Amino acid sequence: MRLKGIGLTTAAIAFTVITTTATADAAAREDTLQTALDNVVATGEAGAIAEVRQDGTTWRGASGRARLDRPAPPPLNGRFRAGSVTKPFTATVVLQLVAEGRIGLDDSVEHWLPGLVKGGAGDITVRELLNHTSGLPDPVGALVGDDGLPRDRWRTWTLTELARLSNALPRDPNPPGTHYSYSNNDYILLGMIIEKATGRSFRTEITRRIIVPLGLRGTSLPGANPWLPAPHADGYVTVRRDGRDVTYDMTVLNPTMAGSAGEIVSTTDDLNRFFAALLGGHLVRPDLLRQMTAGDNGFGIESTTLSCGVRIHGHGGGIPGYLTIAFTSTDTRRQVALSINRYRAPDPSPAAMAFLNTAFCPPGPRP
């Protein structure tokens, strides 16, 4: 009996040590993530929020301020404009329609949108819009100035008006399908093709096919509504005027300027849930999902391999006032969604990439 008692006591001590070590490791991990998030804000941004999921655990952090004139941090469950993270949503709907036989990947743009593209689009396919090899120019320069300010933040744009902006710009001289060139116009046209194929707006189709089934309660496509739902952090653009910095609050913005290429409002939790469902095979047919994640630029998905060898898939997004990054590992066991409410001009991308590496790459020796 005495020996058994000693054995139980030893086991209890060992369990306590293991638990304490695991708790300490978790605390150290959280401190490392918080430091990496603080470094993003230290580049000159107003604030940032992030959600990191790893093997069933979730870490949420905030840094900086929700508003420049108040000390409160950005709300962890805050809404934000996610910009081009809209593209994977649009691509998902297109590929669902492909699976239903309503759109063909090799259908021409001219077939769906006759006469819209200057010079004709009979040689440009849906596939080439999805992977940005259409060669069509990007209309962003006509919408946002070099200083990052919208040329008309209150105007309501139709998809047709946005598409026609590109007609005044030169096309890529390379034949369609041969050269990658990122263009928001590709996804404006895809939004229009969704509408032609379904008879409903791209907003309705994304909502009924993705947002509602996944229960993404913080995600919406606001159309011409310029107000960002609460809670949220404010986004800013700072420019030089007459030799001094002038800051503009860009929180209130008519997002139709981005349409099916960049209009979406979301949360870090919702974006992680969306990419987990998408990459987990719950939204798109397996063969089409493989094409979404093929190479570095598939169908609406950007992919990269981090320094530790982890392969991640997702998208980044920028719109005046906000910058978003959302990526998920191939096995969906690790996820990161990061939203930055902007302030000053310095590029936070290196710090954001460092945050991704901190979140995705386990400590210890790397392959």
Side-chain angles (χ1 to χ4, degrees):
M1 292 295 292
R2 183 172 179 273
L3 290 175
K4 185 177 180 181
I6 291 173
L8 288 172
T9 303
T10 303
I13 292 172
F15 180 76
T16 301
V17 170
I18 291 170
T19 303
T20 303
T21 302
T23 303
D25 288 346
R29 172 77 169 158
E30 291 176 0
D31 288 345
T32 301
L33 287 169
Q34 186 63 55
T35 297
L37 189 62
D38 293 341
N39 289 340
V40 172
V41 175
T43 62
E45 307 306 338
I49 55 174
E51 180 184 272
V52 177
R53 298 184 180 187
Q54 184 175 25
D55 295 326
T57 65
T58 301
W59 175 87
R60 297 182 180 92
S63 184
R65 298 185 175 201
R67 289 179 51 174
L68 293 178
D69 58 350
R70 297 182 183 178
L76 293 176
N77 63 337
R79 275 66 166 172
F80 50 82
R81 302 193 190 280
S84 286
V85 183
T86 308
K87 290 181 175 68
F89 287 79
T90 299
T92 295
V93 171
V94 170
L95 294 176
Q96 289 179 349
L97 293 169
V98 168
E100 294 166 11
R102 300 168 74 177
I103 294 176
L105 286 176
D106 294 317
D107 288 351
S108 72
V109 174
E110 188 69 18
H111 167 76
W112 284 103
L113 307 171
L116 179 64
V117 177
K118 183 180 179 181
D123 58 342
I124 300 173
T125 66
V126 169
R127 182 190 309 274
E128 290 156 357
L129 296 179
L130 285 165
N131 64 16
H132 291 298
T133 61
S134 71
L136 295 174
D138 196 326
V140 165
L143 298 166
V144 179
D146 293 338
D147 53 11
L149 292 174
R151 299 186 189 279
D152 189 345
R153 67 187 290 184
W154 307 118
R155 176 173 172 172
T156 297
W157 292 87
T158 67
L159 293 182
T160 300
E161 288 172 331
L162 291 172
R164 285 177 174 161
L165 288 175
S166 296
N167 286 339
L169 304 171
R171 287 172 60 165
D172 192 312
N174 297 286
T178 63
H179 180 69
Y180 174 83
S181 181
Y182 188 90
S183 174
N184 286 285
N185 192 35
D186 291 338
Y187 277 74
I188 296 299
L189 296 177
L190 287 170
M192 297 179 71
I193 291 172
I194 289 171
E195 296 184 348
K196 281 290 189 75
T198 66
R200 291 180 286 266
S201 74
F202 76 89
R203 299 179 183 96
T204 297
E205 289 300 299
I206 290 175
T207 300
R208 65 185 288 267
R209 290 171 176 268
I210 302 174
I211 294 174
V212 171
L214 295 183
L216 306 181
R217 294 181 177 85
T219 301
S220 62
L221 291 146
N225 184 350
W227 302 100
L228 192 58
H232 66 260
D234 289 2
Y236 305 89
V237 174
T238 300
V239 300
R240 296 290 290 178
R241 290 282 188 269
D242 300 322
R244 63 188 183 92
D245 287 342
V246 179
T247 298
Y248 296 86
D249 188 328
M250 299 305 302
T251 312
V252 181
L253 172 74
N254 186 328
T256 58
M257 64 181 291
S260 49
E263 181 182 300
I264 208 162
V265 169
S266 195
T267 67
T268 55
D269 177 68
D270 277 6
L271 291 183
N272 277 338
R273 291 171 65 190
F274 164 67
F275 281 110
L278 175 61
L279 296 169
H282 302 293
L283 294 175
V284 172
R285 203 173 67 194
D287 61 311
L288 296 173
L289 180 59
R290 285 192 293 271
Q291 293 184 70
M292 286 191 88
T293 58
D296 290 342
N297 300 285
F299 293 167
I301 293 289
E302 299 171 340
S303 304
T304 190
T305 301
L306 299 175
S307 58
C308 60
V310 174
R311 184 77 172 162
I312 60 175
H313 315 275
H315 215 284
I319 195 167
Y322 298 89
L323 179 66
T324 304
I325 299 171
F327 281 88
T328 293
S329 62
T330 301
D331 60 11
T332 72
R333 291 171 55 188
R334 301 175 188 174
Q335 294 189 273
V336 173
L338 166 67
S339 171
I340 303 169
N341 50 311
R342 302 298 310 272
Y343 177 30
R344 296 190 182 277
D347 183 5
S349 298
M353 181 55 69
F355 182 84
L356 286 182
N357 275 281
T358 299
F360 279 108
C361 295
R366 297 182 178 181

